[in-house]
């Protein structure tokens, strides 16, 4: 090798080293040299998070820059729920939802809709009629009007909807709620899925191309809940209800048994025997790490707990990439932007994400970034 070629090689090697050091030394999720989760997983699935519209107010803020740098799908944490959008029968508040969808479109981000029907954060007017409990007939009509009005407004724009949220109860039965109690077995076919069926059919009629999801928690961690969901969706698919996919909220804990999660995903994957193009979405992921002393004071995580968190995330992301390779999964969403924004922080601090408070990158963020390249 000639003198000039040797110098050229040395310069190239130094440049490569500088670039890779730059990526590793990025400190914050919005840094120019920070790697991007969405970019790292582009061959597997979209990566997103739940936000609030005030995160979109200042283009110079860490949250705004993090959203654009790290994510290519988004959902609203609270502002597209029934109490926010439809607080009384004749009032719809679309300002925040519109702002969110506009922002997504301007930035090539896929917006999700969460959620059309839920037993929580749902105004009482749905269930009342002149001081009395509403009749099943009127409630069915209200469900149709509510779903049709919202889904039609965002036709072709909101690509995926949590049509119903958490309809399976912790006892593994259909959740007892005002919806299931009042609508009941409306069509007399022996099940009480009728309010769910009404919502899915109305959503499909309003936007036939939208992906319609039935969303729930603990499907990945509880086999009895996964089986109950399987039975419910199987029956509805056989009855022709237009359900496109299952939403796995994935509020999991540090050290979650990933082998058991894999089995539960496979229980629900068997629905493909009935609907071959059924899809999964991970809709609300976080990995809780409460840590307190005997007096209930917050204490920092131990090194072992941090390592377990990283390992559980690595095993989980490997499983999610497997599901993507099976053609089952194309979207995962974290339920918050960074540790400081999580609903899990209450009386106790929590550290559920790959991005720490103040948008600082954790070592496990880099583990997860590197994972697709290692497969
Ligand atoms: O908007 C009111 C505000 O006016 C009031 O001053 C304040 C006082 O507490 O409360 C505000 O409402 C809070 C709301 O979030 C908006 O910030 C509620 O108290 C609070 O309970 C509510 O919590 C939300 C929770 O759903 C409600 O069930 C969380 O932020 C949100 O992260 C959480 O999200 C759910 C998913 O939708 C479904 N799956 C589980 C997930 C976590 O619980």
């Amino acid at each position: 090798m000639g003198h000039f070629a040797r110098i050229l090689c040395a310069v190239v090697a130094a440049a490569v080293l500088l670039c890779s050091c730059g990526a590793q030394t990025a400190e914050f999720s919005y840094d120019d040299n920070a790697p991007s989760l969405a970019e790292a997983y582009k061959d597997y699935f979209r990566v997103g998070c739940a936000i609030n519209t005030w995160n979109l107010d200042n283009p110079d803020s860490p949250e705004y820059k993090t959203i654009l740098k790290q994510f290519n799908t988004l959902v609203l944490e609270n502002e597209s729920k029934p109490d926010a959008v439809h607080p009384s029968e004749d009032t719809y508040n679309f300002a925040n939802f519109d702002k969110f969808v506009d922002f997504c479109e301007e930035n090539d981000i896929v917006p999700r809709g969460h959620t059309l029907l839920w037993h929580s954060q749902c105004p009482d007017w749905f269930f009342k009629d002149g001081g009395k409990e509403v009749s099943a007939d009127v409630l069915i009509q209200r469900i149709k009007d509510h779903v049709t009005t919202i889904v039609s407004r965002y036709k072709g724009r909101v690509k995926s909807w949590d049509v119903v949220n958490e309809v399976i109860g912790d006892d593994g039965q259909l959740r007892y709620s005002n919806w299931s109690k009042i609508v009941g077995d409306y069509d007399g076919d022996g099940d009480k899925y009728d309010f769910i069926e009404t919502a899915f059919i109305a959503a499909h009629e309003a936007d036939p191309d939208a992906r319609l999801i039935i969303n729930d928690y603990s499907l990945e961690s509880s086999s009895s809940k996964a089986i109950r969901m399987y039975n419910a969706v199987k029956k509805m698919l056989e009855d022709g209800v237009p359900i496109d996919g299952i939403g796995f909220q994935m509020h999991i804990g540090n050290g979650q048994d990933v082998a058991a999660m894999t089995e539960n995903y496979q229980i629900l994957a068997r629905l493909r025997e009935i609907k071959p193009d059924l899809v999964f979405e991970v809709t609300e992921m976080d990995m809780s790490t409460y840590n307190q002393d005997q007096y209930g004071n917050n204490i920092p995580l131990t090194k072992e707990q941090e390592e377990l968190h990283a390992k559980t995330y690595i095993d989980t992301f490997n499983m999610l990439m497997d599901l993507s390779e099976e053609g089952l999964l194309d979207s995962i969403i974290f339920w918050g932007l960074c540790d400081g924004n999580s609903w899990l922080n209450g009386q106790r601090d929590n550290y559920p994400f790959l991005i720490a408070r103040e948008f600082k990158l954790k070592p496990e963020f880099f583990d997860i970034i590197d994972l697709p390249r290692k497969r």
Side-chain angles (χ1 to χ4, degrees):
M1 192 187 287
H3 182 62
F4 180 70
R6 266 201 301 275
I7 291 175
L8 190 65
C9 283
V11 169
V12 169
V16 167
L17 194 67
L18 261 178
C19 283
S20 64
C21 284
Q24 288 302 320
T25 54
E27 198 179 348
F28 297 101
S29 52
Y30 51 84
D31 283 348
D32 285 342
N33 65 344
S36 157
L37 287 166
E39 176 62 23
Y41 283 87
K42 66 179 188 313
D43 295 335
Y44 291 93
F45 34 69
R46 285 184 180 268
V47 182
C49 73
I51 61 159
N52 294 279
T53 50
W54 59 81
N55 300 136
L56 308 178
D57 287 343
N58 177 5
D60 295 323
S61 65
E63 57 262 44
Y64 190 102
K65 290 192 284 183
T66 293
I67 288 167
L68 292 188
K69 173 97 201 183
Q70 297 294 339
F71 303 112
N72 55 9
T73 178
L74 292 173
V75 67
L76 287 170
E77 184 177 9
N78 286 299
E79 294 158 285
S80 52
K81 291 173 178 174
D83 62 347
V85 170
H86 198 179
S88 67
E89 187 158 17
D90 300 324
T91 313
Y92 283 92
N93 291 333
F94 284 121
N96 290 333
F97 207 167
D98 284 353
K99 175 178 169 178
F100 166 74
V101 176
D102 289 346
F103 172 85
C104 289
E105 283 185 345
E106 284 156 17
N107 293 287
D108 206 15
I109 289 171
V110 171
R112 297 197 77 249
H114 173 82
T115 168
L116 294 167
L117 291 194
W118 192 17
H119 61 275
S120 178
Q121 288 177 287
C122 179
D124 222 28
W125 68 261
F126 272 104
F127 312 111
K128 294 276 188 295
D129 195 2
K132 299 194 315 282
E133 185 172 280
V134 75
S135 67
D137 286 334
V138 172
L139 186 52
I140 287 269
Q141 191 54 50
R142 285 179 180 172
I143 294 172
K144 287 181 183 169
D145 292 345
H146 170 78
V147 169
T148 305
T149 304
I150 299 173
V151 176
S152 318
R153 183 178 184 90
Y154 300 109
K155 184 175 181 197
R157 302 178 74 203
V158 171
K159 311 287 183 195
S160 176
W161 287 97
D162 293 331
V163 177
V164 297
N165 192 39
E166 302 174 3
V167 295
I168 307 295
D170 292 327
D171 57 0
Q173 302 303 310
L174 182 70
R175 180 185 294 278
Y176 183 79
S177 67
N178 278 321
W179 305 111
S180 61
K181 179 182 79 167
I182 298 170
V183 174
D185 182 8
Y186 192 74
D187 60 11
D189 71 349
D191 68 52
K192 291 189 178 175
Y193 303 144
D194 305 54
F195 75 96
I196 304 172
E197 295 169 355
T198 304
F200 273 91
I201 291 166
H204 184 67
E205 283 171 1
D207 186 353
D209 295 327
R211 179 184 282 180
L212 305 182
I213 296 284
I214 184 164
N215 192 46
D216 219 318
Y217 62 87
S218 296
L219 297 175
E220 58 289 313
S221 54
S222 156
S223 56
S224 64
K225 192 146 178 183
I227 290 166
R228 187 65 184 82
M229 179 61 91
Y230 171 87
N231 288 331
V233 175
K234 177 173 184 286
K235 171 75 165 56
M236 286 188 273
L237 288 175
E238 286 168 348
D239 288 347
V241 180
I243 299 174
D244 297 308
I246 313 291
F248 293 76
Q249 292 189 1
M250 243 173 137
H251 297 293
I252 57 179
N254 199 10
Q256 187 89 30
D257 180 344
V258 177
M261 285 204 287
T262 307
E263 283 172 21
N264 292 330
Y265 271 100
Q266 291 308 327
I267 289 171
L268 284 152
R270 288 183 52 194
L271 287 166
R272 283 201 150 182
E273 291 162 12
I274 305 158
K275 183 176 174 61
D277 58 352
L278 183 98
V279 285
F280 292 166
E281 291 192 19
V282 170
T283 53
E284 305 182 16
M285 181 159 54
D286 43 38
M287 192 186 295
S288 177
T289 61
Y290 283 131
N291 213 31
Q292 289 186 304
D293 65 15
Q294 56 178 321
Y295 307 108
N297 299 314
N298 293 318
I299 49 175
L301 298 184
T302 63
K303 187 100 188 102
E304 288 71 29
Q305 288 168 319
E306 285 177 351
E307 283 168 7
L308 180 63
H309 204 242
K311 179 177 176 344
T312 314
Y313 256 120
I314 289 169
D315 292 347
T316 299
F317 267 72
N318 271 321
M319 177 194 70
L320 297 176
M321 283 190 283
D322 291 344
L323 291 170
S324 160
E325 283 170 352
E326 288 176 55
L328 275 162
L329 180 76
D330 62 7
S331 171
I332 70 156
I333 290 203
F334 291 95
W335 201 243
L337 266 160
C338 71
D339 283 352
N341 291 101
S342 169
W343 70 290
L344 292 166
N345 297 299
Q347 292 164 335
R348 300 180 283 186
D349 287 348
N350 210 309
Y351 312 89
F353 297 128
L354 304 172
I355 303 174
R357 281 167 177 70
E358 314 299 337
F359 297 89
K360 226 167 161 16
L361 296 173
K362 298 182 185 177
E364 64 206 75
F365 172 90
F366 293 99
D367 294 339
I368 294 301
I369 285 283
D370 283 345
L371 220 48
R373 278 202 297 268
K374 291 183 180 161
R375 276 167 84 89

